[in-house]
Amino acid sequence: MPDSKHIKYILSEDEMPRVWYNIVADLPRPPDPVLHPGTMQPVGPADLAALFPMAIIQQEVSTEPYIEIPEPVRQVYLQWRPSPLFRARRLEQALDTPARIYYKYEGVSPAGSHKPNTAVAQVYYNKQEGVRKISTETGAGQWGSALAMAGAFFGVDIEVFMVKVSYHQKPYRRNLIEAFGATVHASPTNLTDAGRSILAKDPESPGSLGIAISEAVEVAAKSGGSVKYALGSVLNHVLLHQTVIGEEALLQFAQADDYPDVVIGCTGGGSNFAGLAFPFIGEARRKGLKTRFLATEPMACPSLTRGIYAYDFGDTVGMTPLVKMHTLGHDFVPAGIHAGGLRYHGMAPLISLLHDEGIIEAQAYHQNSVFEAAIQFTRTEGIIPAPESSHAIRAAINEALEAKAAGQERVILFNLSGHGHFDMGAYDSYFAGKLQDYAYPAEAVAEAQKRMPQVVL
Ligand SMILES: *Cc1c(COP(=O)(O)O)cnc(C)c1O
């Protein structure tokens, strides 16, 4: 019998998981190899050593089912972890649904999102191997602020290439990055060949995550070893670090004497969705459960629902290794009118593989319906969600309404990946009626496919 009175499920510090879960151990087929951008042959650890510390490279290719969370990382996690699992009782009442809706809240971290779960781990491993400086990219600034915070804790310098439109339109997140002591540039910059090549073609370029990644990777690659690079999503080790979310949620559902029928997360590069869903996918595969897994994304950047499953670069200029993933093309530049975040052209290879195998479903939403769901959530649960997370809320509400129509007791779990306190500009546009719905055209994806690298394995 599910618990009938609690609003939140809290674990003690001692109950915080001691391991991350590695889904590679439970995949239906092995992951596709990562390819060198020059030779198009599978990369080895030595190829990646210019960018990442060895401990991270080992995690990237590990097939061990569980990897221990180092004690110094646990010590930092404990400031906001274990994070609460809430039962959304007022939202359920407002929807008049027989469904039970739960959400795991990652906005309790100091940076306001799930991103510190991997930022802290990545900076720790770099520090262990003597790295003094890390370069990275950021879009709206969530990742930049998380890495900057971790850099401040461990005494590692952080240099952030921030997508130019966000740099100018979202000064407060940029200021937060600065408050943590990191350096931040509006990308494309004149500091790198990658940035200069983009500016030569388009001096007014608004930037994109793909361009900012090119710049950050170049800084590390040309540093002769003194600077490493960190990525905030997409890669296996990043998804691994986020699984502390789902490991906690499994324990919290045991407390609630309940279990989800559907697990939902928004997907930009895939890390918060994976963090919550992968431990449940592992359970489902081991125990033969029929749990559903739903990844949600914007119509304006629909990599899982409209993208092509192919080898592509992780960045725009073509400096990163090639990975097999759902992609809109590495030269994708998001539409300026899109306010809902989740703007990366690709999707994590592990999520792409699980989607290809039919284990993960995907849905795309128009931004006005996403903000409408966000407001319904705010008025019932009190938390103003990040626009990104609101894609998961849209799906959770849809599932609850479907359950009502079918007269079903569906149990819904979603990841509330962050709060929206720094995103009020997007809410301002929504309240003013200025948000336009926009679907990325299928023809643009077909065109982009022609520019993707031709890989023959
Ligand atoms: C960065 C971010 C996302 C998207 O990234 P994923 O790697 O897909 O999780 C989602 N929600 C919030 C709050 C974010 O900061």
Side-chain angles (χ1 to χ4, degrees), residues 112-115 142-143 173 232-234 238-239 242 266-274 342 347 351 386-389 416-419 423:
S113 77
H114 64 292
K115 293 214 170 66
Q142 292 270 20
W143 170 242
R173 247 188 208 290
S233 188
V234 180
V238 180
L239 277 49
Q242 293 295 350
C266 67
T267 43
S271 72
N272 87 86
F273 170 76
L342 308 173
M347 183 53 60
I351 291 181
E388 290 88 347
S389 321
L416 186 57
S417 52
H419 66 62
D423 303 292

PDB file of all heavy atoms in Angstrom, residues 112-115 142-143 173 232-234 238-239 242 266-274 342 347 351 386-389 416-419 423, ligand 1:
ATOM      1  N   GLY A 112      21.669  25.459  -8.079  1.00  0.00           N
ATOM      2  CA  GLY A 112      20.252  25.441  -8.464  1.00  0.00           C
ATOM      3  C   GLY A 112      19.850  24.378  -9.461  1.00  0.00           C
ATOM      4  O   GLY A 112      18.742  24.435 -10.001  1.00  0.00           O
ATOM      5  N   SER A 113      20.728  23.406  -9.740  1.00  0.00           N
ATOM      6  CA  SER A 113      20.386  22.340 -10.685  1.00  0.00           C
ATOM      7  C   SER A 113      21.134  21.065 -10.305  1.00  0.00           C
ATOM      8  O   SER A 113      21.904  21.040  -9.336  1.00  0.00           O
ATOM      9  CB  SER A 113      20.764  22.733 -12.115  1.00  0.00           C
ATOM     10  OG  SER A 113      22.167  22.591 -12.305  1.00  0.00           O
ATOM     11  N   HIS A 114      20.926  20.020 -11.136  1.00  0.00           N
ATOM     12  CA  HIS A 114      21.628  18.757 -10.931  1.00  0.00           C
ATOM     13  C   HIS A 114      23.103  18.830 -11.322  1.00  0.00           C
ATOM     14  O   HIS A 114      23.874  17.928 -11.008  1.00  0.00           O
ATOM     15  CB  HIS A 114      20.961  17.663 -11.778  1.00  0.00           C
ATOM     16  CG  HIS A 114      21.074  17.932 -13.254  1.00  0.00           C
ATOM     17  ND1 HIS A 114      20.414  18.974 -13.880  1.00  0.00           N
ATOM     18  CD2 HIS A 114      21.800  17.337 -14.227  1.00  0.00           C
ATOM     19  CE1 HIS A 114      20.728  18.977 -15.170  1.00  0.00           C
ATOM     20  NE2 HIS A 114      21.559  18.002 -15.409  1.00  0.00           N
ATOM     21  N   LYS A 115      23.538  19.864 -12.037  1.00  0.00           N
ATOM     22  CA  LYS A 115      24.867  19.864 -12.657  1.00  0.00           C
ATOM     23  C   LYS A 115      26.037  19.723 -11.667  1.00  0.00           C
ATOM     24  O   LYS A 115      27.057  19.115 -12.012  1.00  0.00           O
ATOM     25  CB  LYS A 115      25.022  21.076 -13.558  1.00  0.00           C
ATOM     26  CG  LYS A 115      24.086  20.979 -14.771  1.00  0.00           C
ATOM     27  CD  LYS A 115      24.648  21.560 -16.013  1.00  0.00           C
ATOM     28  CE  LYS A 115      23.812  21.238 -17.249  1.00  0.00           C
ATOM     29  NZ  LYS A 115      22.468  21.876 -17.224  1.00  0.00           N
ATOM     30  N   GLN A 142      24.124  27.357 -16.524  1.00  0.00           N
ATOM     31  CA  GLN A 142      23.930  26.364 -15.448  1.00  0.00           C
ATOM     32  C   GLN A 142      25.204  25.547 -15.240  1.00  0.00           C
ATOM     33  O   GLN A 142      25.653  25.355 -14.110  1.00  0.00           O
ATOM     34  CB  GLN A 142      22.784  25.404 -15.809  1.00  0.00           C
ATOM     35  CG  GLN A 142      21.422  26.044 -15.837  1.00  0.00           C
ATOM     36  CD  GLN A 142      20.739  25.990 -14.481  1.00  0.00           C
ATOM     37  OE1 GLN A 142      21.383  25.814 -13.465  1.00  0.00           O
ATOM     38  NE2 GLN A 142      19.436  26.149 -14.483  1.00  0.00           N
ATOM     39  N   TRP A 143      25.748  25.056 -16.337  1.00  0.00           N
ATOM     40  CA  TRP A 143      26.944  24.226 -16.227  1.00  0.00           C
ATOM     41  C   TRP A 143      28.139  25.071 -15.800  1.00  0.00           C
ATOM     42  O   TRP A 143      28.918  24.683 -14.925  1.00  0.00           O
ATOM     43  CB  TRP A 143      27.216  23.504 -17.550  1.00  0.00           C
ATOM     44  CG  TRP A 143      28.565  22.822 -17.577  1.00  0.00           C
ATOM     45  CD1 TRP A 143      29.597  23.091 -18.424  1.00  0.00           C
ATOM     46  CD2 TRP A 143      29.020  21.787 -16.688  1.00  0.00           C
ATOM     47  NE1 TRP A 143      30.679  22.286 -18.128  1.00  0.00           N
ATOM     48  CE2 TRP A 143      30.339  21.473 -17.061  1.00  0.00           C
ATOM     49  CE3 TRP A 143      28.446  21.105 -15.626  1.00  0.00           C
ATOM     50  CZ2 TRP A 143      31.103  20.502 -16.416  1.00  0.00           C
ATOM     51  CZ3 TRP A 143      29.208  20.134 -14.963  1.00  0.00           C
ATOM     52  CH2 TRP A 143      30.518  19.839 -15.367  1.00  0.00           C
ATOM     53  N   ARG A 173      23.466  34.897 -14.333  1.00  0.00           N
ATOM     54  CA  ARG A 173      24.180  33.631 -14.248  1.00  0.00           C
ATOM     55  C   ARG A 173      25.672  33.824 -14.545  1.00  0.00           C
ATOM     56  O   ARG A 173      26.520  33.175 -13.951  1.00  0.00           O
ATOM     57  CB  ARG A 173      23.575  32.579 -15.174  1.00  0.00           C
ATOM     58  CG  ARG A 173      22.968  31.518 -14.354  1.00  0.00           C
ATOM     59  CD  ARG A 173      22.497  30.314 -15.042  1.00  0.00           C
ATOM     60  NE  ARG A 173      21.414  29.783 -14.245  1.00  0.00           N
ATOM     61  CZ  ARG A 173      21.568  29.214 -13.049  1.00  0.00           C
ATOM     62  NH1 ARG A 173      22.766  29.040 -12.508  1.00  0.00           N
ATOM     63  NH2 ARG A 173      20.523  28.799 -12.393  1.00  0.00           N
ATOM     64  N   GLY A 232      29.611  19.088 -19.568  1.00  0.00           N
ATOM     65  CA  GLY A 232      28.579  19.023 -18.530  1.00  0.00           C
ATOM     66  C   GLY A 232      27.457  18.046 -18.787  1.00  0.00           C
ATOM     67  O   GLY A 232      26.532  17.913 -17.973  1.00  0.00           O
ATOM     68  N   SER A 233      27.502  17.334 -19.929  1.00  0.00           N
ATOM     69  CA  SER A 233      26.435  16.389 -20.249  1.00  0.00           C
ATOM     70  C   SER A 233      26.965  15.399 -21.288  1.00  0.00           C
ATOM     71  O   SER A 233      28.175  15.345 -21.527  1.00  0.00           O
ATOM     72  CB  SER A 233      25.221  17.163 -20.788  1.00  0.00           C
ATOM     73  OG  SER A 233      24.123  16.282 -20.926  1.00  0.00           O
ATOM     74  N   VAL A 234      26.098  14.613 -21.875  1.00  0.00           N
ATOM     75  CA  VAL A 234      26.358  13.787 -23.063  1.00  0.00           C
ATOM     76  C   VAL A 234      27.263  12.562 -22.833  1.00  0.00           C
ATOM     77  O   VAL A 234      26.888  11.452 -23.171  1.00  0.00           O
ATOM     78  CB  VAL A 234      26.932  14.618 -24.252  1.00  0.00           C
ATOM     79  CG1 VAL A 234      27.188  13.757 -25.463  1.00  0.00           C
ATOM     80  CG2 VAL A 234      25.983  15.767 -24.598  1.00  0.00           C
ATOM     81  N   VAL A 238      29.667  11.529 -17.384  1.00  0.00           N
ATOM     82  CA  VAL A 238      28.779  12.574 -16.838  1.00  0.00           C
ATOM     83  C   VAL A 238      27.450  11.942 -16.410  1.00  0.00           C
ATOM     84  O   VAL A 238      26.937  12.192 -15.317  1.00  0.00           O
ATOM     85  CB  VAL A 238      28.533  13.679 -17.884  1.00  0.00           C
ATOM     86  CG1 VAL A 238      27.617  14.755 -17.304  1.00  0.00           C
ATOM     87  CG2 VAL A 238      29.843  14.273 -18.361  1.00  0.00           C
ATOM     88  N   LEU A 239      26.918  11.080 -17.279  1.00  0.00           N
ATOM     89  CA  LEU A 239      25.659  10.399 -16.952  1.00  0.00           C
ATOM     90  C   LEU A 239      25.849   9.509 -15.719  1.00  0.00           C
ATOM     91  O   LEU A 239      24.980   9.446 -14.842  1.00  0.00           O
ATOM     92  CB  LEU A 239      25.169   9.563 -18.151  1.00  0.00           C
ATOM     93  CG  LEU A 239      24.376  10.322 -19.235  1.00  0.00           C
ATOM     94  CD1 LEU A 239      25.026  11.590 -19.717  1.00  0.00           C
ATOM     95  CD2 LEU A 239      24.002   9.436 -20.399  1.00  0.00           C
ATOM     96  N   GLN A 242      25.610  11.385 -12.489  1.00  0.00           N
ATOM     97  CA  GLN A 242      24.246  11.838 -12.165  1.00  0.00           C
ATOM     98  C   GLN A 242      23.381  10.715 -11.583  1.00  0.00           C
ATOM     99  O   GLN A 242      22.306  10.981 -11.044  1.00  0.00           O
ATOM    100  CB  GLN A 242      23.564  12.432 -13.405  1.00  0.00           C
ATOM    101  CG  GLN A 242      24.194  13.730 -13.911  1.00  0.00           C
ATOM    102  CD  GLN A 242      24.076  14.895 -12.932  1.00  0.00           C
ATOM    103  OE1 GLN A 242      23.367  14.819 -11.923  1.00  0.00           O
ATOM    104  NE2 GLN A 242      24.775  15.983 -13.237  1.00  0.00           N
ATOM    105  N   CYS A 266      13.577  15.732 -18.677  1.00  0.00           N
ATOM    106  CA  CYS A 266      13.838  16.529 -19.876  1.00  0.00           C
ATOM    107  C   CYS A 266      15.223  16.153 -20.383  1.00  0.00           C
ATOM    108  O   CYS A 266      16.073  15.705 -19.607  1.00  0.00           O
ATOM    109  CB  CYS A 266      13.752  18.016 -19.563  1.00  0.00           C
ATOM    110  SG  CYS A 266      15.057  18.618 -18.457  1.00  0.00           S
ATOM    111  N   THR A 267      15.443  16.323 -21.687  1.00  0.00           N
ATOM    112  CA  THR A 267      16.751  15.971 -22.231  1.00  0.00           C
ATOM    113  C   THR A 267      17.333  17.104 -23.081  1.00  0.00           C
ATOM    114  O   THR A 267      16.755  17.502 -24.094  1.00  0.00           O
ATOM    115  CB  THR A 267      16.681  14.689 -23.086  1.00  0.00           C
ATOM    116  OG1 THR A 267      15.507  14.748 -23.913  1.00  0.00           O
ATOM    117  CG2 THR A 267      16.600  13.443 -22.234  1.00  0.00           C
ATOM    118  N   GLY A 268      18.485  17.610 -22.637  1.00  0.00           N
ATOM    119  CA  GLY A 268      19.297  18.514 -23.448  1.00  0.00           C
ATOM    120  C   GLY A 268      20.388  17.636 -24.043  1.00  0.00           C
ATOM    121  O   GLY A 268      20.339  17.217 -25.193  1.00  0.00           O
ATOM    122  N   GLY A 269      21.388  17.317 -23.242  1.00  0.00           N
ATOM    123  CA  GLY A 269      22.367  16.302 -23.617  1.00  0.00           C
ATOM    124  C   GLY A 269      22.037  14.962 -23.006  1.00  0.00           C
ATOM    125  O   GLY A 269      22.598  13.940 -23.374  1.00  0.00           O
ATOM    126  N   GLY A 270      21.119  14.953 -22.033  1.00  0.00           N
ATOM    127  CA  GLY A 270      20.617  13.700 -21.474  1.00  0.00           C
ATOM    128  C   GLY A 270      21.021  13.371 -20.051  1.00  0.00           C
ATOM    129  O   GLY A 270      20.625  12.325 -19.534  1.00  0.00           O
ATOM    130  N   SER A 271      21.768  14.261 -19.370  1.00  0.00           N
ATOM    131  CA  SER A 271      22.355  13.823 -18.096  1.00  0.00           C
ATOM    132  C   SER A 271      21.369  13.744 -16.932  1.00  0.00           C
ATOM    133  O   SER A 271      21.458  12.828 -16.115  1.00  0.00           O
ATOM    134  CB  SER A 271      23.562  14.681 -17.725  1.00  0.00           C
ATOM    135  OG  SER A 271      23.176  15.972 -17.323  1.00  0.00           O
ATOM    136  N   ASN A 272      20.426  14.687 -16.823  1.00  0.00           N
ATOM    137  CA  ASN A 272      19.526  14.612 -15.655  1.00  0.00           C
ATOM    138  C   ASN A 272      18.511  13.495 -15.849  1.00  0.00           C
ATOM    139  O   ASN A 272      18.132  12.817 -14.889  1.00  0.00           O
ATOM    140  CB  ASN A 272      18.861  15.966 -15.348  1.00  0.00           C
ATOM    141  CG  ASN A 272      17.578  16.210 -16.116  1.00  0.00           C
ATOM    142  OD1 ASN A 272      16.492  15.804 -15.693  1.00  0.00           O
ATOM    143  ND2 ASN A 272      17.685  16.852 -17.280  1.00  0.00           N
ATOM    144  N   PHE A 273      18.081  13.294 -17.092  1.00  0.00           N
ATOM    145  CA  PHE A 273      17.176  12.174 -17.373  1.00  0.00           C
ATOM    146  C   PHE A 273      17.867  10.851 -17.043  1.00  0.00           C
ATOM    147  O   PHE A 273      17.321   9.986 -16.346  1.00  0.00           O
ATOM    148  CB  PHE A 273      16.737  12.209 -18.844  1.00  0.00           C
ATOM    149  CG  PHE A 273      16.007  10.964 -19.274  1.00  0.00           C
ATOM    150  CD1 PHE A 273      14.695  10.746 -18.901  1.00  0.00           C
ATOM    151  CD2 PHE A 273      16.652   9.994 -20.034  1.00  0.00           C
ATOM    152  CE1 PHE A 273      14.021   9.586 -19.270  1.00  0.00           C
ATOM    153  CE2 PHE A 273      15.995   8.838 -20.408  1.00  0.00           C
ATOM    154  CZ  PHE A 273      14.676   8.629 -20.032  1.00  0.00           C
ATOM    155  N   ALA A 274      19.094  10.695 -17.548  1.00  0.00           N
ATOM    156  CA  ALA A 274      19.848   9.462 -17.284  1.00  0.00           C
ATOM    157  C   ALA A 274      20.070   9.275 -15.796  1.00  0.00           C
ATOM    158  O   ALA A 274      19.941   8.163 -15.272  1.00  0.00           O
ATOM    159  CB  ALA A 274      21.197   9.513 -18.005  1.00  0.00           C
ATOM    160  N   LEU A 342      17.617  23.561 -23.421  1.00  0.00           N
ATOM    161  CA  LEU A 342      17.776  22.255 -24.080  1.00  0.00           C
ATOM    162  C   LEU A 342      18.159  22.434 -25.548  1.00  0.00           C
ATOM    163  O   LEU A 342      17.539  21.886 -26.442  1.00  0.00           O
ATOM    164  CB  LEU A 342      16.491  21.417 -23.952  1.00  0.00           C
ATOM    165  CG  LEU A 342      15.927  21.244 -22.538  1.00  0.00           C
ATOM    166  CD1 LEU A 342      14.567  20.548 -22.582  1.00  0.00           C
ATOM    167  CD2 LEU A 342      16.890  20.474 -21.650  1.00  0.00           C
ATOM    168  N   MET A 347      22.541  14.091 -28.691  1.00  0.00           N
ATOM    169  CA  MET A 347      21.989  13.431 -27.502  1.00  0.00           C
ATOM    170  C   MET A 347      23.004  12.404 -27.024  1.00  0.00           C
ATOM    171  O   MET A 347      23.692  11.793 -27.843  1.00  0.00           O
ATOM    172  CB  MET A 347      20.656  12.757 -27.850  1.00  0.00           C
ATOM    173  CG  MET A 347      19.946  12.098 -26.693  1.00  0.00           C
ATOM    174  SD  MET A 347      19.696  13.160 -25.263  1.00  0.00           S
ATOM    175  CE  MET A 347      18.719  14.479 -25.968  1.00  0.00           C
ATOM    176  N   ILE A 351      21.833   7.256 -24.203  1.00  0.00           N
ATOM    177  CA  ILE A 351      20.389   7.465 -24.334  1.00  0.00           C
ATOM    178  C   ILE A 351      19.946   7.171 -25.766  1.00  0.00           C
ATOM    179  O   ILE A 351      18.903   6.558 -25.996  1.00  0.00           O
ATOM    180  CB  ILE A 351      20.022   8.898 -23.915  1.00  0.00           C
ATOM    181  CG1 ILE A 351      20.236   9.028 -22.410  1.00  0.00           C
ATOM    182  CG2 ILE A 351      18.595   9.261 -24.324  1.00  0.00           C
ATOM    183  CD1 ILE A 351      19.897  10.358 -21.832  1.00  0.00           C
ATOM    184  N   ALA A 386      12.905  25.522 -13.628  1.00  0.00           N
ATOM    185  CA  ALA A 386      13.704  25.914 -14.792  1.00  0.00           C
ATOM    186  C   ALA A 386      12.888  25.586 -16.044  1.00  0.00           C
ATOM    187  O   ALA A 386      12.185  24.573 -16.075  1.00  0.00           O
ATOM    188  CB  ALA A 386      15.020  25.143 -14.807  1.00  0.00           C
ATOM    189  N   PRO A 387      12.988  26.410 -17.097  1.00  0.00           N
ATOM    190  CA  PRO A 387      12.255  26.099 -18.335  1.00  0.00           C
ATOM    191  C   PRO A 387      12.606  24.700 -18.871  1.00  0.00           C
ATOM    192  O   PRO A 387      11.739  23.991 -19.376  1.00  0.00           O
ATOM    193  CB  PRO A 387      12.705  27.194 -19.297  1.00  0.00           C
ATOM    194  CG  PRO A 387      13.076  28.345 -18.407  1.00  0.00           C
ATOM    195  CD  PRO A 387      13.666  27.717 -17.180  1.00  0.00           C
ATOM    196  N   GLU A 388      13.869  24.301 -18.699  1.00  0.00           N
ATOM    197  CA  GLU A 388      14.279  22.960 -19.145  1.00  0.00           C
ATOM    198  C   GLU A 388      13.450  21.899 -18.438  1.00  0.00           C
ATOM    199  O   GLU A 388      12.834  21.030 -19.064  1.00  0.00           O
ATOM    200  CB  GLU A 388      15.762  22.729 -18.814  1.00  0.00           C
ATOM    201  CG  GLU A 388      16.757  23.538 -19.619  1.00  0.00           C
ATOM    202  CD  GLU A 388      17.055  24.905 -19.018  1.00  0.00           C
ATOM    203  OE1 GLU A 388      16.302  25.334 -18.105  1.00  0.00           O
ATOM    204  OE2 GLU A 388      18.022  25.557 -19.467  1.00  0.00           O
ATOM    205  N   SER A 389      13.433  21.980 -17.101  1.00  0.00           N
ATOM    206  CA  SER A 389      12.720  20.980 -16.292  1.00  0.00           C
ATOM    207  C   SER A 389      11.234  20.962 -16.629  1.00  0.00           C
ATOM    208  O   SER A 389      10.567  19.932 -16.450  1.00  0.00           O
ATOM    209  CB  SER A 389      12.865  21.300 -14.804  1.00  0.00           C
ATOM    210  OG  SER A 389      14.147  21.764 -14.490  1.00  0.00           O
ATOM    211  N   LEU A 416      12.763  17.077 -11.397  1.00  0.00           N
ATOM    212  CA  LEU A 416      12.729  18.538 -11.422  1.00  0.00           C
ATOM    213  C   LEU A 416      14.186  18.968 -11.329  1.00  0.00           C
ATOM    214  O   LEU A 416      14.747  19.137 -10.253  1.00  0.00           O
ATOM    215  CB  LEU A 416      11.889  19.067 -10.251  1.00  0.00           C
ATOM    216  CG  LEU A 416      11.659  20.578 -10.257  1.00  0.00           C
ATOM    217  CD1 LEU A 416      10.988  21.037 -11.545  1.00  0.00           C
ATOM    218  CD2 LEU A 416      10.822  21.004  -9.065  1.00  0.00           C
ATOM    219  N   SER A 417      14.809  19.100 -12.518  1.00  0.00           N
ATOM    220  CA  SER A 417      16.268  19.214 -12.584  1.00  0.00           C
ATOM    221  C   SER A 417      16.806  20.525 -12.030  1.00  0.00           C
ATOM    222  O   SER A 417      17.994  20.609 -11.703  1.00  0.00           O
ATOM    223  CB  SER A 417      16.743  19.004 -14.021  1.00  0.00           C
ATOM    224  OG  SER A 417      16.031  19.844 -14.906  1.00  0.00           O
ATOM    225  N   GLY A 418      15.947  21.567 -11.949  1.00  0.00           N
ATOM    226  CA  GLY A 418      16.455  22.816 -11.390  1.00  0.00           C
ATOM    227  C   GLY A 418      15.357  23.833 -11.193  1.00  0.00           C
ATOM    228  O   GLY A 418      14.260  23.692 -11.732  1.00  0.00           O
ATOM    229  N   HIS A 419      15.666  24.875 -10.418  1.00  0.00           N
ATOM    230  CA  HIS A 419      14.682  25.956 -10.266  1.00  0.00           C
ATOM    231  C   HIS A 419      14.898  27.016 -11.344  1.00  0.00           C
ATOM    232  O   HIS A 419      15.936  27.027 -12.017  1.00  0.00           O
ATOM    233  CB  HIS A 419      14.729  26.552  -8.857  1.00  0.00           C
ATOM    234  CG  HIS A 419      16.007  27.280  -8.526  1.00  0.00           C
ATOM    235  ND1 HIS A 419      16.440  28.396  -9.211  1.00  0.00           N
ATOM    236  CD2 HIS A 419      16.951  27.031  -7.586  1.00  0.00           C
ATOM    237  CE1 HIS A 419      17.575  28.821  -8.698  1.00  0.00           C
ATOM    238  NE2 HIS A 419      17.917  27.981  -7.714  1.00  0.00           N
ATOM    239  N   ASP A 423      15.804  32.440 -14.545  1.00  0.00           N
ATOM    240  CA  ASP A 423      15.192  32.355 -15.878  1.00  0.00           C
ATOM    241  C   ASP A 423      13.934  33.208 -15.970  1.00  0.00           C
ATOM    242  O   ASP A 423      13.069  32.953 -16.806  1.00  0.00           O
ATOM    243  CB  ASP A 423      14.853  30.893 -16.190  1.00  0.00           C
ATOM    244  CG  ASP A 423      16.089  30.012 -16.097  1.00  0.00           C
ATOM    245  OD1 ASP A 423      16.974  30.178 -16.948  1.00  0.00           O
ATOM    246  OD2 ASP A 423      16.188  29.214 -15.152  1.00  0.00           O
TER     247      ASP A 423
HETATM  248  C1  LIG B   1      21.573  21.780 -18.185  1.00  0.00           C
HETATM  249  C2  LIG B   1      20.222  21.537 -17.693  1.00  0.00           C
HETATM  250  C3  LIG B   1      19.360  20.610 -18.324  1.00  0.00           C
HETATM  251  C4  LIG B   1      19.724  19.887 -19.589  1.00  0.00           C
HETATM  252  O1  LIG B   1      20.860  19.103 -19.552  1.00  0.00           O
HETATM  253  P1  LIG B   1      20.817  17.514 -19.431  1.00  0.00           P
HETATM  254  O2  LIG B   1      22.223  17.108 -19.559  1.00  0.00           O
HETATM  255  O3  LIG B   1      19.933  16.990 -20.508  1.00  0.00           O
HETATM  256  O4  LIG B   1      20.264  17.239 -18.083  1.00  0.00           O
HETATM  257  C5  LIG B   1      18.123  20.380 -17.779  1.00  0.00           C
HETATM  258  N1  LIG B   1      17.705  21.043 -16.677  1.00  0.00           N
HETATM  259  C6  LIG B   1      18.491  21.946 -16.051  1.00  0.00           C
HETATM  260  C7  LIG B   1      17.965  22.656 -14.841  1.00  0.00           C
HETATM  261  C8  LIG B   1      19.774  22.222 -16.534  1.00  0.00           C
HETATM  262  O5  LIG B   1      20.560  23.101 -15.915  1.00  0.00           O
END
